[in-house]
Amino acid sequence: MRMAAGIARYWLLLPTIGCFALWLLYLAVAWQRMDYPYQIEWIEGGILQQVVQVARGLPLYASPDSDYAPALYMPLYYYLSALAGSFSGDYFFGMRLVSFVASLLTAVACGVSVGLLVRHWCGAVLGFLAYFLPYRFTGYWYDVGRVDSLWTMWLALTLMSLVLAFYCKRQHWLWLAVLSFAGAFLTKQSSLFLSPFLFVAVWAWFGLRAAVQLATAAAALLLSLVLLLTAWLGDLFFYATFEMATAHAFNWRRIDMFLLLNLLLSIPALLLFSLAFIAGFRQQRQEGVGWLFLLLGFSAISAISRMYSGGAENVMMPCYMLIVITGCAGFWHFCAAAQRKWWSSGLAVLLFLLNIYWAWFDVKQQVPTTADRAAGDALVARIRQVPGRVCLTKDGYLAYLAGKD
């Protein structure tokens, strides 16, 4: 086993270097977009209006009118962004800072999980860096001022807690999983779709009694949070986040896009190693069942969101996160098992490197230019010169930047 681990570390070196380069590309994009004063994705301006509403002490879930209409997400991201923006003085910066920090913490959770699965810090480093491999395939969304990075962080911490509890034989980590899942729910209500899959995984790993206890505690906590938020934020909270959210139409034909474009044509190597990792639990069936349902659950939550009208590539982040963890662990175990067949490990490395090459992108194409900034400044200045109130049928946040309603 020592020799196998040594060979695995040797083959890990090249993919680790490649993923490190992708991480640097991500940092370059995030750093240059962090303080850009205009939206870098079409919905950022709408989210900014929610954050400003919180910062001004106004109701987040208010009756819609010509000035304001609430979004359909849970409130945690808005309040964290308002807090970050109040310190920086720039709410766009605060929104992106929350997403940026969340993306780094998600990578840490991936690294911890992979490190526990392979029992070596080299695997943890690869797990941390590989989280940034799918950045391009999410629409370059990790640092965008929206709920998705924070949501993925809470789900990654939930998974990490389960891994810590099972592989370190410390079941008190399960309570951190409950709290982390509550954080995911307070960020995006579609987290509830993951509940049955988590229940089966906990059942497989810790037994039915532990699963029932954990499910009961989680249900009681989430119900209490809904009641408290309804009392605090008003009846429109429940209407906006649950009743209105369920009014989205489904497009079932998008399942082809999810399977082909978002999985097979985006992260084929990681997906292959992920499936190999789960298939390797032939002797430990309960452990394998747990991982299988986790893969199904995280895939389902992204697939369901993808099939909603308006669901874009950003909803793939939880699914990619789980596949990064299992894929890196599967890559490690494959290289270790193929110690006498160097060409097998070499082929695995080649597949990983090809996926890294496919994930490569041009930083300049994702960073606003000086001309972009000048055009935005000129437009805001023009809006500011208009006497009285203005009506913007699109990108209403520009009126806020111009000091108007």
Side-chain angles (χ1 to χ4, degrees), residues 326-390:
T326 53
C328 289
F331 172 72
W332 174 287
H333 290 313
F334 181 87
C335 290
Q339 56 177 306
R340 299 183 186 278
K341 300 177 182 179
W342 61 269
W343 58 269
S344 298
S345 298
L347 179 61
V349 170
L350 178 61
L351 291 174
F352 208 131
L353 292 176
L354 286 174
N355 213 154
I356 292 173
Y357 174 77
W358 182 238
W360 205 263
F361 60 91
D362 184 359
V363 171
K364 292 182 180 179
Q365 292 184 356
Q366 304 308 320
V367 175
T369 64
T370 303
D372 294 328
R373 172 66 184 268
D377 290 344
L379 180 55
V380 171
R382 179 70 184 91
I383 295 172
R384 188 179 293 116
Q385 292 171 0
V386 175
R389 303 182 73 195
V390 297

Side-chain angles (χ1 to χ4, degrees), residues 182-203:
F185 171 74
L186 289 175
T187 305
K188 201 170 183 180
Q189 59 271 49
S190 57
S191 306
L192 294 176
F193 288 123
L194 190 60
S195 301
F197 299 95
L198 290 175
F199 178 83
V200 175
V202 173
W203 183 358

Side-chain angles (χ1 to χ4, degrees), residues 5 26 67 74 86 99 120 144 173 181 206 246 251 277 312 329 373:
Y26 165 68
D67 289 329
M74 298 291 277
S86 65
S99 295
H120 201 281
V144 169
W173 283 102
F181 187 72
F206 304 99
T246 57
N251 184 353
F277 170 75
R373 172 66 184 268

Side-chain angles (χ1 to χ4, degrees), residues 63-78:
S63 298
D65 55 29
S66 59
D67 289 329
Y68 177 78
L72 306 182
Y73 294 118
M74 298 291 277
L76 183 57
Y77 175 78
Y78 303 131

